[in-house]
Amino acid sequence: METLCLNSSETQIAAEILQRGGIVAVPTETVYGLAANAFDLQAIKKIFVAKGRPSDNPLIVHISDKDKIYEVVSSFPEKASYLAEKLWPGPLTMILPKNPRIPHSVTGGLDSVAVRLPAHFVIQEIIKKSGFPLVAPSANLSGSPSPTNFSHVFEDLNGRVDAILDAGECSIGLESTVISFLEDPPRLLRPGAITPQEIETLIGPIIIDDSVYSKLKPEEKVLSPGTKYKHYSPKAKVVILKGTSEKYAEFLNSLSSENIIALCFNQDIPLLKIPYISYGDSSNSSEQAKKLFSSLREADKFFPQIIYAHCCRNEGVGIAVYNRLVRAAGFKIIKL
Ligand code: TXA
Ligand code: MG
């Protein structure tokens, strides 16, 4: 298939491709998404094929107008509606009972649906011009790091999708916060740029699902099917090192004859005697969020055997960075 490359003013062309049942990679403020008409069974099938995504991993439905939420859900509890009022448009996805019109192929057979109103004007414009909500999983091959710019999407999906729309770098760089309202208190299933603290300030206590910090045990019930698959992994093996800059550099410098690369903080650079890529300042979680996925892809270009990542702070937005990093590393952490 020939993939058309569009610029950010060509939203009408993107909308027309979607109306004809095509699939188009589009920017959002979090990561690029691979969009299709949420009511078109054939188009939805194409998304799973293009990404190589398991069919029981459900998709997020994106809307451009809060008032249209009942096209997607069958109920909208008070706490969810309050969060929507305060945090939409933005990087927040809510799990709610689904409207019968939403096909089960979107929800992986579940009776719930994930819904989000993204803040990026390009996807908002495309939804409005298409005239229907859009499913949009991250626009990467299943398992690889999510794409935060056009070239990441092109690398993974050129020849597999109808079009890719280029609107530069995503401002956040990690996928949205996912919170389920199928129970009360609500349950955080995936951390993102909107932090648990921010949510609790607005709606009171929430539960953080065990899968946010640790690997699920085989007998545990999977609430967010996405968490059971290998995720965010570059081609090289990733190992996390936890400790000070000095200990991190000392450990890596002693391995300098090996084919490795450091995924470090700016503060580590003067101490390192091996190849490195920095994913930001050690105290700036938002910067790390923005750079993590592109740094993992960049590190792969050196064809290292192992990427040694310096462990980030696990608080605020850092919870989301840590969550993606431990998954990329298959939960391998060495304490120095
Ligand atoms: O920021 C984002 O959310 C991006 C942009 C493109 O909007 N999208 C994204 O989609 O990250 P995806 O498909 O890569 O991740 C969706 C996550 C998966 O972990 C999936 O299992 C979960 O949301 N999910 C979707 N529907 C669900 C449901 N009904 N119940 C529980 N989890 C659900
Ligand atoms: Mg994804």
Side-chain angles (χ1 to χ4, degrees):
M1 167 194 302
E2 182 154 1
T3 298
L4 190 65
C5 294
L6 302 173
N7 65 49
S8 57
S9 66
E10 294 177 305
T11 53
Q12 181 62 35
I13 300 176
E16 284 164 16
I17 297 171
L18 291 162
Q19 285 166 342
R20 290 197 297 270
I23 57 176
V24 182
V26 300
T28 84
E29 73 279 26
T30 56
V31 301
Y32 275 71
L34 179 57
N37 178 351
F39 299 125
D40 180 338
L41 291 173
Q42 289 311 316
I44 293 159
K45 204 183 269 174
K46 288 183 195 166
I47 289 212
F48 285 94
V49 173
K51 277 182 60 81
R53 182 176 175 108
S55 63
D56 66 344
N57 192 1
L59 308 174
I60 298 175
V61 179
H62 298 68
I63 55 175
S64 63
D65 181 350
K66 255 192 305 257
D67 296 339
K68 297 211 170 140
I69 184 131
Y70 284 102
E71 287 181 12
V72 179
V73 307
S74 61
S75 71
F76 198 25
E78 205 176 311
K79 285 182 187 174
S81 156
Y82 188 66
L83 274 195
E85 193 184 305
K86 295 290 179 189
L87 300 175
W88 275 359
L92 179 75
T93 295
M94 302 202 237
I95 310 291
L96 294 160
K98 83 175 193 72
N99 180 307
R101 266 189 82 197
I102 296 289
H104 273 117
S105 57
V106 167
T107 65
L110 298 171
D111 289 325
S112 60
V113 63
V115 57
R116 154 163 134 83
L117 200 169
H120 201 295
F121 76 97
V122 168
I123 183 165
Q124 284 190 9
E125 238 175 73
I126 296 174
I127 299 169
K128 283 183 196 137
K129 288 179 179 168
S130 316
F132 39 72
L134 296 176
V135 287
S138 48
N140 51 301
L141 286 174
S142 197
S144 76
S146 295
T148 60
N149 64 31
F150 169 84
S151 59
H152 299 159
V153 182
F154 190 83
E155 230 168 64
D156 278 17
L157 298 182
N158 182 37
R160 305 174 72 91
V161 300
D162 294 293
I164 305 173
L165 192 147
D166 183 2
E169 296 283 331
C170 299
S171 61
I172 293 175
L174 293 184
E175 308 86 344
S176 60
T177 304
V178 177
I179 182 165
S180 169
F181 286 91
L182 301 182
E183 53 188 305
D184 196 32
R187 183 180 288 267
L188 185 93
L189 300 179
R190 182 175 75 181
I194 291 177
T195 64
Q197 293 83 343
E198 247 176 289
I199 295 174
E200 290 193 323
T201 308
L202 293 167
I203 58 166
I206 60 170
I207 293 168
I208 311 244
D209 196 61
D210 284 346
S211 65
V212 167
Y213 293 120
S214 47
K215 199 175 187 166
L216 277 178
K217 296 181 192 73
E219 69 276 12
E220 270 177 292
K221 190 169 173 229
V222 179
L223 292 174
S224 178
T227 56
K228 73 181 184 212
Y229 296 107
K230 186 167 147 63
H231 249 112
Y232 316 121
S233 299
K235 296 183 187 81
K237 181 176 166 192
V238 180
V239 173
I240 299 173
L241 300 177
K242 196 170 178 184
T244 61
S245 274
E246 288 71 23
K247 289 214 163 125
Y248 177 71
E250 194 189 329
F251 181 94
L252 293 181
N253 292 341
S254 74
L255 302 176
S256 62
S257 59
E258 292 181 26
N259 178 19
I260 58 172
I261 188 163
L263 181 64
C264 66
F265 298 125
N266 298 342
Q267 285 86 340
D268 305 326
I269 294 174
L271 306 175
L272 285 170
K273 298 192 178 93
I274 66 156
Y276 62 81
I277 286 165
S278 169
Y279 72 113
D281 186 285
S282 64
S283 62
N284 188 341
S285 298
S286 300
E287 184 189 10
Q288 293 160 25
K290 189 163 176 175
K291 291 186 178 163
L292 178 67
F293 287 147
S294 59
S295 303
L296 284 170
R297 281 179 184 260
E298 211 183 310
D300 250 350
K301 302 228 157 79
F302 290 79
F303 299 103
Q305 245 164 347
I306 304 181
I307 299 170
Y308 282 104
H310 200 171
C311 192
C312 63
R313 284 207 330 221
N314 188 4
E315 55 189 60
V317 178
I319 299 173
V321 183
Y322 181 82
N323 169 276
R324 306 311 192 272
L325 195 56
V326 294
R327 276 169 176 70
F331 296 87
K332 281 179 292 292
I333 305 179
I334 299 174
K335 292 204 178 79
L336 300 172

